[in-house]
Amino acid sequence: MTLVSERRRVGRFVTVASIGYAVNVGAFAALVALQVHYLAAAVVSYVLAWSLNLGLHRHWTFPEGRHHSILRQSTRHALTSLLVLALNLLLLRIL
């Protein structure tokens, strides 16, 4: 992989992460405004952003990975993301 293509991939990764963050925060705010409990809203908004991130990374950031099983990729992505979700919920509970 060339330096230019690696920089492009990093740019795509950051773009997907930013979109996921915006979706997560926007969905969380909307759900809380609809009187959904803040911890439930955090889980729902996180799952929504997670699903979007998985699809975008699979098809745009890492297109060469499309030949791998979606189940394998989503499982690896989910395990990593569950740790992040647990930390997010802990921080929300503390704050």
Side-chain angles (χ1 to χ4, degrees), residues 27-66:
F28 178 78
L31 290 168
V32 169
L34 292 171
Q35 307 284 321
V36 175
H37 188 274
Y38 73 96
L39 291 176
V43 171
V44 171
S45 64
Y46 194 85
V47 169
L48 182 63
W50 176 87
S51 301
L52 177 66
N53 282 357
L54 177 63
L56 287 174
H57 281 313
R58 182 173 165 86
H59 293 288
W60 189 48
T61 309
F62 306 105
E64 69 281 354
R66 280 184 263 173

Side-chain angles (χ1 to χ4, degrees), residues 62-83:
F62 306 105
E64 69 281 354
R66 280 184 263 173
H67 68 278
H68 294 294
S69 162
I70 185 69
L71 179 60
R72 179 176 174 225
Q73 287 180 336
S74 61
T75 301
R76 288 176 55 193
H77 191 64
L79 291 175
T80 304
S81 297
L82 284 174
L83 176 62

Side-chain angles (χ1 to χ4, degrees), residues 12-29:
R12 288 178 177 183
F13 186 90
V14 170
T15 300
V16 170
S18 299
I19 291 168
Y21 180 75
V23 167
N24 191 357
V25 170
F28 178 78

